[in-house]
Amino acid sequence: MIEFFFDCSSPWTYLAFHNIQPLAKELGAEIVWRPILVGGIFNTVNPSVYAQREKPVPLKARYMKKDLQDWARSAGLSIKMPPTVFPVNSVKAMRGCIWLGKDMVPFATSVFEAYWGDDKDISQDVVLAEICKKVGIDEQKLFAGISEQPIKDQLKANTEEVVARGGFGSPTIFVNKTDMYFGNDRLPLIREALLRSKASAA
């Protein structure tokens, strides 16, 4: 089993979200999608992210921009970095994922595409309404759903859980509950972990 803790406001998470799905399908692994708020993680255990944004190392920042575009090209995705609004408040989008439950993947995919591909501000209700129309969701029901306290509480609980389990950003990925990986570039290691798990179960 794969647990995928994610926030749509991260470009590397967009890559991993896209890339892990065919990998899981190929190896017959179930993905449990766990929406979080990465800002909550940074505030709790990884504030160095903010310092890096304020005072980036120019050479490293230039390479990271190239690296992101190389990965995007490899995945067949379009990623504008930075988007016009960055960082973005993704709380409504991530609550939407919680509210949709097992049906969240088309919505989350469209949120990623809207923000990273089309440079739209996913914190805005009008943008989320467009996404709902695109994927066939009643936007009024979604907006009502994401205002419910249990949905808010679940997003907070997911964020606190990933920190308690050792996570420090998005995406944080677990194989079989305890084997943690961070980032899109760890997918080859996740593949190996899944193959080991299958072999031991055989």
Side-chain angles (χ1 to χ4, degrees):
M1 184 188 72
I2 300 167
E3 291 171 279
F4 191 93
F5 288 84
F6 74 103
D7 185 328
C8 292
S9 67
S10 158
W12 301 103
T13 304
Y14 182 18
L15 289 162
F17 180 89
H18 175 85
N19 290 329
I20 202 167
Q21 293 183 64
L23 170 61
K25 186 175 181 181
E26 176 194 342
L27 298 181
E30 177 194 2
I31 302 176
V32 178
W33 302 105
R34 305 293 301 279
I36 57 169
L37 282 180
V38 76
I41 295 177
F42 295 159
N43 292 339
T44 305
V45 294
N46 193 9
S48 64
V49 170
Y50 300 128
Q52 290 170 9
R53 285 178 184 168
E54 287 178 18
K55 293 185 178 179
V57 177
L59 293 177
K60 185 178 180 183
R62 188 167 67 198
Y63 175 74
M64 284 182 66
K65 193 170 183 179
K66 174 195 180 295
D67 192 35
L68 180 63
Q69 294 308 320
D70 287 343
W71 279 106
R73 186 182 310 109
S74 175
L77 299 176
S78 173
I79 295 181
K80 180 182 187 290
M81 184 66 190
T84 302
V85 177
F86 183 79
V88 72
N89 184 340
S90 62
V91 65
K92 289 182 180 179
M94 301 319 297
R95 286 176 184 165
C97 290
I98 295 274
W99 179 74
L100 286 162
K102 291 186 176 181
D103 299 322
M104 75 176 73
V105 171
F107 176 78
T109 300
S110 291
V111 171
F112 276 121
E113 290 172 350
Y115 185 51
W116 294 108
D118 301 329
D119 196 20
K120 294 182 177 179
D121 181 357
I122 58 169
S123 71
Q124 300 300 311
D125 287 356
V126 64
V127 174
L128 293 177
E130 287 175 8
I131 291 168
C132 286
K133 288 187 178 74
K134 181 179 177 183
V135 297
I137 296 167
D138 184 323
E139 66 263 31
Q140 296 304 320
K141 287 183 179 178
L142 179 128
F143 287 126
I146 65 174
S147 68
E148 294 172 0
Q149 195 59 44
I151 300 299
K152 297 177 181 179
D153 291 345
Q154 187 62 56
L155 184 59
K156 186 171 185 285
N158 286 359
T159 304
E160 291 173 348
E161 179 186 336
V162 74
V163 170
R165 291 170 67 181
F168 50 85
S170 175
T172 299
I173 304 159
F174 290 89
V175 175
N176 295 333
K177 292 287 186 183
T178 57
D179 192 10
M180 188 182 92
Y181 298 87
F182 173 70
N184 172 69
D185 56 351
R186 299 306 190 271
L187 290 184
L189 299 180
I190 292 170
R191 171 187 286 276
E192 291 178 8
L194 290 168
L195 288 171
R196 284 196 304 272
S197 181
K198 284 184 75 172
S200 65

